[in-house]
């Protein structure tokens, strides 16, 4: 293990959901719990067996740590391990605090040209990397991203990075769609009260064809329906956003057109990839951060996220650091 002095911690929609509702699906908050799982910090102390890190190293933290070497770990899909430790998923405490202890293997040293804030953003970026890999985004792909929150935006960034020729994104909010344009979306659709079929037909007309890949980042039933209708026959729909447990979808439409529907659960093996992309300046994730608060103003930061203001709210846990 390593002891870290925390620096930057992003607030995720799931943090707000636990705060407001006390549960997400089967994960129920029964005792007081520390939130936060998008984080970076500085190594203060290392355990006796740790060789790749030393005090003073700046690191990004991968929040999911397998507790045992089970079948999923052996096949490289450790995110699916049923006993995995995960920051800020009950009953596991997160890292929105001054000091935090974490498994050394899941702390990744940051190069000098990658900031603490970028280090914290590797967590949401990882969702995009994992989703686009599962979707099979490749050179020339036409991609439809549903939802322009932080996760929709990282999927735009990663899809373009992986060679997508055109990306269209939808959202209710004009300001969020403007941010999507800034990070590389080719087309935007502001959803008003169209039917799922109407959204699908708008996507097709903007792209000039139906997309081979749809990445659904809202979890909203109508958006999943639109995702199925929009995806080209033989294409892939990846479900990233989580909504109600039961949703009604046109499954026969997907089945007879051989549309593959894939789920994702967090990510695995993405931190080294993300660090390489950030260090080489192949991806610019900095525009995602729109608000910053010191740890003392955590409640204000959570309220800001709850209201849906900006994109990513970042908390600064180190009072001695005066850099932005």
């Amino acid at each position: 293990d390593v002891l870290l002095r925390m620096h930057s911690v992003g607030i995720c929609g799931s943090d707000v959901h636990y705060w407001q509702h006390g549960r997400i699906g089967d994960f129920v908050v029964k005792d007081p719990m520390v939130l936060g799982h998008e984080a970076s910090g500085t190594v203060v102390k290392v355990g006796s067996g740790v060789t790749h890190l030393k005090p003073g190293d700046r690191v990004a933290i991968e929040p999911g740590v397998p507790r045992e070497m089970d079948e999923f770990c052996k096949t490289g899909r450790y995110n699916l391990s049923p006993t995995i430790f995960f920051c800020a998923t009950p009953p596991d405490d997160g890292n929105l605090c001054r000091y935090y202890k974490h498994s050394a293997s899941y702390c990744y040293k940051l190069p000098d040209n990658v900031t603490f804030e970028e280090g914290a953003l590797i967590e949401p970026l990882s969702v995009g990397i994992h989703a686009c890999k599962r979707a099979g985004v490749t050179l020339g792909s036409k991609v439809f991203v549903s939802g322009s929150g932080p996760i929709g935006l990282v999927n735009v960034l990663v899809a373009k990075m992986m060679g997508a020729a055109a990306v269209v994104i939808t959202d209710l909010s004009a300001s969020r769609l403007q941010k999507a344009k800034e990070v590389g979306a080719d087309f935007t659709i502001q959803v008003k009260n169209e039917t799922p079929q109407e959204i699908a037909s708008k996507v097709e007309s903007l792209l000039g064809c139906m997309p081979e890949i749809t990445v659904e980042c809202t979890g909203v039933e109508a958006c999943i329906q639109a995702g199925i209708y929009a995806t080209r026959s033989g294409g892939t729909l990846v479900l990233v956003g989580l909504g109600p447990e039961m949703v009604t979808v046109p499954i026969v439409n997907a089945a007879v057109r051989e549309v593959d529907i894939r789920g994702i659960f967090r990510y695995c093996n993405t931190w080294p990839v993300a660090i390489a992309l950030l260090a080489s300046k192949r991806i610019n994730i900095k525009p995602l951060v729109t608000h910053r608060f010191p740890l003392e103003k955590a409640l204000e930061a959570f309220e800001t996220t709850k209201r849906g203001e900006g994109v990513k709210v970042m908390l600064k846990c180190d009072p001695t650091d005066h850099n932005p």
Side-chain angles (χ1 to χ4, degrees):
D1 285 345
V2 293
L3 177 66
L4 304 161
R5 187 172 77 243
M6 299 307 298
H7 188 287
S8 296
V9 181
I11 300 177
C12 170
S14 69
D15 293 320
V16 175
H17 204 275
Y18 280 127
W19 168 48
Q20 289 295 302
H21 304 283
R23 69 180 299 158
I24 294 177
D26 294 336
F27 298 107
V28 182
V29 180
K30 294 180 178 149
D31 300 298
M33 181 181 82
V34 179
L35 291 169
H37 59 264
E38 308 176 357
S40 63
T42 306
V43 176
V44 179
K45 272 170 94 170
V46 301
S48 55
V50 177
T51 54
H52 72 290
L53 293 172
K54 63 184 188 306
D57 283 347
R58 301 159 59 255
V59 297
I61 299 166
E62 179 171 2
V65 180
R67 286 187 168 96
E68 56 185 316
M69 179 54 73
D70 60 15
E71 57 178 312
F72 298 105
C73 293
K74 287 175 185 172
T75 55
R77 300 182 74 175
Y78 57 85
N79 57 313
L80 302 179
S81 174
T83 58
I84 196 168
F85 167 93
F86 197 89
C87 293
T89 296
D92 303 333
D93 280 326
N95 45 34
L96 181 49
C97 46
R98 296 263 188 243
Y99 289 91
Y100 179 72
K101 181 170 71 79
H102 200 65
S103 164
S105 303
Y106 293 82
C107 294
Y108 300 83
K109 192 172 174 187
L110 291 172
D112 292 343
N113 68 338
V114 177
T115 66
F116 280 115
E117 210 160 79
E118 287 176 297
L121 290 168
I122 290 174
E123 196 278 343
L125 180 60
S126 285
V127 177
I129 294 170
H130 191 56
C132 287
K133 277 186 173 174
R134 292 268 294 153
V137 179
T138 187
L139 284 172
S141 296
K142 304 276 176 61
V143 180
F144 167 31
V145 176
S146 171
S148 188
I151 297 302
L153 296 175
V154 293
N155 274 285
V156 172
L157 276 167
V158 176
K160 295 293 284 192
M161 180 69 239
M162 288 172 76
V167 177
V168 59
I169 189 165
T170 52
D171 202 87
L172 297 165
S173 156
S175 62
R176 289 201 156 187
L177 291 173
Q178 181 53 43
K179 186 62 90 169
K181 275 273 198 209
E182 284 173 38
V183 302
D186 299 281
F187 306 103
T188 61
I189 299 170
Q190 187 173 5
V191 179
K192 300 276 197 303
N193 45 14
E194 297 89 342
T195 65
Q197 288 97 328
E198 285 168 344
I199 292 294
S201 112
K202 282 193 171 185
V203 167
E204 181 177 7
S205 67
L206 281 171
L207 289 173
C209 61
M210 293 171 82
E212 302 101 322
I213 289 159
T214 298
V215 185
E216 207 301 298
C217 302
T218 71
V220 174
E221 182 175 273
C223 298
I224 301 170
Q225 292 168 353
I228 289 177
Y229 290 129
T231 308
R232 190 184 305 182
S233 297
T236 303
L237 166 64
V238 176
L239 301 176
V240 184
L242 299 178
E245 186 182 1
M246 292 290 177
V247 291
T248 303
V249 295
I251 201 73
V252 173
N253 178 290
V256 299
R257 297 194 303 108
E258 296 192 3
V259 172
D260 291 349
I261 299 176
R262 297 188 151 202
I264 72 157
F265 187 57
R266 300 170 179 156
Y267 31 66
C268 61
N269 303 306
T270 54
W271 259 253
V273 176
I275 289 169
L277 288 171
L278 292 169
S280 62
K281 304 296 178 202
R282 300 287 286 155
I283 272 191
N284 179 17
I285 198 160
K286 289 176 181 171
L288 263 64
V289 180
T290 52
H291 294 71
R292 295 171 180 87
F293 293 91
L295 187 57
E296 296 75 19
K297 294 190 175 169
L299 184 58
E300 202 179 315
F302 271 79
E303 295 281 6
T304 303
T305 309
K306 184 184 157 198
R307 287 193 299 269
E309 290 176 25
V311 180
K312 180 56 68 177
V313 177
M314 192 68 67
L315 279 153
K316 300 298 187 177
C317 302
D318 185 353
T320 64
D321 180 84
H322 303 295
N323 294 322

